[in-house]
Amino acid sequence: MQDAMTSAAATATAPPSPELPQPGVLQQPEPGLRMVLAPNPSPMTHWGTNTFLLGQGAVAVIDPGPDDPRHMAAVLAALGPGERISHILVTHAHRDHSPLARPLSQATGAPVLAFGDARSGRSARMAALAGLEGGEGLDLAFRPDRLLQDGEVIRGDDWELTAIHTPGHIGGHLCFGWGDCLFSGDHVMGWAPSLVSPPEGDMSDYMASLERLAEGPWRRAHAGHGAPITDLPARLKELQTHRRAREAAILAALDQAATPAELTAQVYRDVNPALIPAAQRNLLAHLIDLAHRGLVAAEDGDPVQSRYRRA
């Protein structure tokens, strides 16, 4: 799921295709890689979830997407004669990425691999906020057959992927490295920044994961939604700049104590009203991060309703 907070944040790093991809129609983003778009467009999923098929013969599926019979039929139809699905890899357990994993596994016999279930990888800060409203889009029924460790390598006949644990959008989020290309799930997208909604999302972890990816060898990325990112290092810098600008705007707005709702109205003036709830979740994530770093303090114990002030 994403946060389409500003048009400026989704810049020319991933220019729109001359023709938008159509659900169920097989695409080939680059040699050795196929993509089928799921029929689930929305303001939070752009034109839908990208399901990738990597390799030939024994094929890996990355992010099977929503449990929709039409999409499952399209994924299976993307296989060539004699091909089979050998691995089903899930970047994270949100309902637009993981629910088809189990039906697809049952149909093909392929195991489901992921970091964990929907609540795995949560930081101690977020675990302490377990009663906090949130949980946007969690696939609570998701259970992988095999847990992947950070740095673990998964191999097929003609492909190799490295699992990279990138918490932030959700605690158990994985990216997958493929040569100089990254399957970036919802952590890095070209069309919008990610939603970071506590307690599943952690802004401190999100920024640390961006920094980690910036130190890696990946030049381009295929995200869970939207077009390929042709210059990943530039996009990572852009996302870091965007988040720091939001942080600075929050601190500037705290000349006097204010609640998250009051701060959202000041900081996100450029946002479509329909996206204000998502904006407030992002702002709350920033406040929790700023409090963790000792830059702001809450006046009481309720992070959603409390008034915040500069520390």
Side-chain angles (χ1 to χ4, degrees):
M1 294 177 68
Q2 297 77 36
D3 156 24
M5 292 294 103
T6 68
S7 58
T11 63
T13 314
S17 303
E19 296 182 5
L20 294 179
Q22 297 300 309
V25 177
L26 182 63
Q27 309 283 325
Q28 186 167 7
E30 59 180 281
L33 181 64
R34 287 165 275 183
M35 190 273 282
V36 179
L37 179 67
N40 63 333
S42 79
M44 302 302 263
T45 61
H46 200 34
W47 55 52
T49 300
N50 297 327
T51 294
F52 297 103
L53 294 90
L54 179 63
Q56 297 180 335
V59 175
V61 169
I62 301 171
D63 278 349
D67 187 2
D68 185 316
R70 298 168 297 171
H71 187 50
M72 180 159 162
V75 171
L76 293 174
L79 298 172
E83 288 193 317
R84 65 182 179 87
I85 295 173
S86 61
H87 299 72
I88 300 168
L89 299 113
V90 175
T91 61
H92 64 293
H94 271 158
R95 289 196 297 266
D96 53 334
H97 288 258
S98 57
L100 191 63
R102 187 53 53 199
L104 190 61
S105 175
Q106 292 170 345
T108 64
V112 178
L113 286 67
F115 185 83
D117 63 19
R119 293 196 170 105
S120 66
R122 201 173 272 188
S123 68
R125 288 183 303 280
M126 296 301 110
L129 300 173
L132 186 69
E133 292 180 8
E136 282 79 4
L138 288 179
D139 178 8
L140 294 174
F142 178 71
R143 298 289 186 277
D145 297 312
R146 183 158 74 83
L147 303 182
L148 291 174
Q149 301 298 314
D150 180 43
E152 185 171 346
V153 176
I154 311 100
R155 295 182 176 89
D157 293 340
D158 62 348
W159 55 265
E160 181 177 291
L161 292 168
T162 301
I164 304 114
H165 184 212
T166 49
H169 173 64
I170 182 173
H173 192 286
L174 290 175
C175 293
F176 294 101
W178 176 46
D180 69 348
C181 181
L182 187 75
F183 293 98
S184 58
D186 279 6
H187 194 78
V188 184
M189 298 172 293
W191 74 282
S194 296
L195 174 67
V196 181
S197 177
E200 63 185 271
D202 184 319
M203 190 63 71
S204 303
D205 284 353
Y206 175 79
M207 295 299 288
S209 293
L210 286 180
E211 186 66 32
R212 181 185 182 191
L213 292 179
E215 295 171 353
W218 307 287
R219 306 305 303 170
R220 64 195 190 283
H222 295 284
H225 308 274
I229 301 168
T230 57
D231 187 345
L232 179 59
R235 181 57 176 159
L236 290 168
K237 288 182 181 178
E238 187 176 56
L239 289 171
Q240 289 170 315
T241 299
H242 169 71
R243 289 299 184 187
R244 290 177 185 132
R246 288 295 192 202
E247 177 183 293
I250 292 167
L251 291 171
L254 281 174
D255 289 335
Q256 57 184 6
T259 66
E262 292 167 341
L263 288 167
T264 300
Q266 294 182 65
V267 173
Y268 286 89
R269 293 176 180 173
D270 53 348
V271 171
N272 183 321
L275 292 172
I276 288 297
Q280 187 167 334
R281 301 305 298 186
N282 265 334
L283 186 137
L284 178 62
H286 274 294
L287 287 172
I288 293 171
D289 173 56
L290 290 166
H292 170 65
R293 291 155 56 196
L295 297 175
V296 305
E299 293 184 347
D300 63 50
D302 183 343
V304 176
Q305 302 298 331
S306 176
R307 297 176 71 82
Y308 287 79
R309 56 177 174 77
R310 291 194 191 189

